[in-house]
Amino acid sequence: MKNLGSKKLLIGVALFVVIAGVVGCHILSQKDEKNMALAGIGVTAIDVTEEVINNPKTYVALVEAINSVDVVSKVNGSLDKVNFKEGSFIKKDEALFIIDKDTYQAKYDLAKAQLESAKANLTKTERDFKRQKQLSSKNIASKATFDGAESAYLQAKAAVAQCEANLKLAKKDLNNTEVKAYIDGYIGKAKVTVGNYVNASSEILARVVQMNPIRIAFSLTDKEYLSMKAKGDQNLSDFVVNIELASGEILSEKMETVFASNEVNTGTATVGVYADIKNEKGLLKPGAYVKMFITSAKPKTGVVIPEKSLVQRGSKSFVYVIGEDNTVSLRDIELGETFDGKQVVLSGLKVGEKIVVNGIQNPALRPGASVNILAD
């Protein structure tokens, strides 16, 4: 009986210790919550500011030459000289090839001599005609003799005109023995070497491509096109194009000349856009595909906040605004576009207001709660 009493005493003591522990923990928990409420919920915050809003649009574009010319000869003959370094920059009217110049020089000299002979004959026949005309007026010469002199004079005039035309053609052919560049640009490989016979207009001798400025071609959806026109105040040249090169370097240029196709592609519902930009370093080559980013040359400013500061409830968006007494209120805001993890706010916030960024997931954070702003 004595042992049984001792066991009951021990059990009673144990129960008392457990109950005391639970009560104590509850009291401590209530005290911690009270202390937390007094100290405020720990959050990080930012002051609302305005930033430049310039969200780049990304496209894949094809680099094209604005002007390109296939160099061909206008005369037949042997190629005497290649007058350029392959791959070099050449200027308009620079002589690129020389074709059989001695032969065409001789033809020109012959045509010139024939003209001089025809002019001499014209002088003689003109004198004879005038003499016979005077004699005929005095009835001294026969009409047949007068008619013969007149016919010879007219034939001599025609011969001179024919020789003058032949001389012009010979001069033109002589000039065309120097095959000249039609545009400024870079010339490629010579496709015909010295000594080969060249046929006029049927054989491409080389190709010249304009490199600066250069054209980039890309497509916009019909909606994007209308949106860009609206943002650019009806002028697509109000945008800057940034092109990522294979090296990772970014080439940034303003679209100086830009135009859109006059039709929408019915298969893709896109509008072709062609922009001319500077290419002074020659980094862009026709035929290359590049990644390009378009931004406005006249970007606007607006209220921008971090996306992670947003509270979504249904279709509406809110932020926690911190008042002067460090209590928070939930503010309904209207959103605009997003870029780089940031959110444009169209209405509902003012510059200088303070909002919660980190801590919005804390279940204790609710309108009217006190917050403690922590260092970020």
Side-chain angles (χ1 to χ4, degrees), residues 72-90:
V72 296
S73 173
K74 294 183 179 180
V75 295
N76 299 318
S78 297
L79 181 59
D80 292 338
K81 187 177 181 181
V82 176
N83 216 26
F84 62 89
K85 182 180 179 182
E86 293 173 320
S88 64
F89 179 79
I90 53 97

Side-chain angles (χ1 to χ4, degrees), residues 38 116 158 226 243 288 343 348:
L38 291 173
E116 294 300 322
L226 293 174
I243 297 176
Q343 174 68 62

Side-chain angles (χ1 to χ4, degrees), residues 25-208:
C25 288
H26 179 68
I27 293 171
L28 287 173
S29 176
Q30 286 184 325
K31 187 175 181 181
D32 289 343
E33 286 184 1
K34 185 176 181 181
N35 290 337
M36 186 181 295
L38 291 173
I41 302 166
V43 298
T44 62
I46 62 165
D47 292 326
V48 176
T49 60
E50 279 192 333
E51 293 184 21
V52 174
I53 302 171
N54 206 0
N55 186 17
K57 303 294 184 182
T58 306
Y59 303 94
V60 174
L62 174 64
V63 182
E64 298 180 348
I66 298 173
N67 291 311
S68 59
V69 178
D70 288 330
V71 180
V72 296
S73 173
K74 294 183 179 180
V75 295
N76 299 318
S78 297
L79 181 59
D80 292 338
K81 187 177 181 181
V82 176
N83 216 26
F84 62 89
K85 182 180 179 182
E86 293 173 320
S88 64
F89 179 79
I90 53 97
K91 288 188 171 292
K92 182 181 178 182
D93 295 327
E94 183 177 333
L96 305 176
F97 299 91
I98 308 297
I99 298 174
D100 219 348
K101 192 166 187 176
D102 290 344
T103 299
Y104 286 95
Q105 180 68 56
K107 289 181 179 181
Y108 172 78
D109 293 341
L110 177 60
K112 188 175 182 181
Q114 289 173 339
L115 175 60
E116 294 300 322
S117 176
K119 285 181 176 180
N121 186 52
L122 175 61
T123 300
K124 178 182 177 300
T125 56
E126 185 178 14
R127 287 186 191 139
D128 291 344
F129 171 64
K130 289 180 179 179
R131 187 181 303 112
Q132 291 301 323
K133 188 174 183 181
Q134 290 177 351
L135 293 174
S136 179
S137 65
K138 297 177 182 179
N139 293 322
I140 297 175
S142 66
K143 189 163 188 326
T145 303
F146 171 76
D147 289 344
E150 183 180 30
S151 177
Y153 170 62
L154 293 176
Q155 289 180 39
K157 284 183 67 175
V160 169
Q162 183 178 7
C163 287
E164 286 176 340
N166 288 337
L167 183 63
K168 286 182 179 179
L169 291 174
K171 178 65 174 175
K172 187 174 182 180
D173 285 344
L174 179 59
N175 290 338
N176 286 334
T177 60
E178 293 187 357
V179 183
K180 297 180 179 180
Y182 281 93
I183 61 172
D184 293 349
Y186 284 85
I187 193 164
K189 178 181 179 293
K191 298 184 179 181
V192 180
T193 55
V194 172
N196 286 283
Y197 190 83
V198 174
N199 292 304
S201 302
S202 63
E203 194 169 4
I204 298 174
L205 306 180
R207 182 174 175 80
V208 180

